[in-house]
Amino acid sequence: MTTHPGSRAHPDPTVPPRAHPDPSLRSHAHLDFPFHIDTQGRSAATSDEDRVRDLIEQVLFTVPGERVNRPDFGSGVLRLVFAPGSQELAGAVEYSLQAALQRWLADLVQVDRVDVETEEGTLRITVSYVLLATGRQATAVLERGTGG
């Protein structure tokens, strides 16, 4: 059995390591967002591509100041659900969202386009992007409402 410095050998060699020091040997499962328990009673996992979509959602819908250790993380877009709409505001919001995504996820995606629509208290954001790891084009459509 091979062990790496700073790691302890698992008693069952068939069990894969959780955070292997060699990135090529790490598991590519990520915790799903929002966190939940799967049908087997474990923390639900997701693929690399779904993880990127989850990260986009977190960047867009986290209010700056919400995360204690990263007070500048997020976009603040939820404040705009009740803002009066205009072409100028829509353009500024799309630009600021694209900038936030590039700032926080530049190592994972190339953002091609961000479209924002508001209708009766519902915010719909469509993000078109390229996954840098695979070169695959993807689109995420995310919605948030007022809850009322």
Side-chain angles (χ1 to χ4, degrees), residues 77-133:
V77 73
L78 287 178
R79 290 179 250 173
L80 301 172
V81 172
F82 293 111
S86 72
Q87 290 292 83
E88 294 79 15
L89 178 62
V93 169
E94 290 168 2
Y95 178 79
S96 68
L97 293 181
Q98 188 162 350
L101 290 168
Q102 283 303 126
R103 175 179 182 196
W104 294 106
L105 303 178
D107 58 332
L108 298 173
V109 298
Q110 173 190 327
V111 179
D112 292 333
R113 183 178 174 98
V114 176
D115 293 312
V116 178
E117 301 172 40
T118 59
E119 184 177 313
E120 297 181 19
T122 299
L123 181 67
R124 180 179 299 113
I125 302 170
T126 304
V127 181
S128 298
Y129 59 95
V130 175
L131 294 161
L132 296 179

Side-chain angles (χ1 to χ4, degrees), residues 10-64:
H10 192 281
D12 182 355
T14 63
V15 175
R18 288 195 174 146
H20 200 282
D22 181 353
S24 66
L25 299 176
R26 287 185 189 149
S27 170
H28 291 287
H30 306 281
L31 288 178
D32 199 7
F33 175 82
F35 179 81
H36 61 279
I37 304 299
D38 68 11
T39 58
Q40 297 172 337
R42 296 184 235 171
S43 300
T46 190
S47 67
D48 289 338
E49 289 183 13
D50 286 342
R51 175 180 169 256
V52 171
R53 187 209 170 279
D54 293 345
L55 291 171
I56 289 171
E57 183 175 2
Q58 291 176 47
V59 169
L60 295 180
F61 295 119
T62 299
V63 178

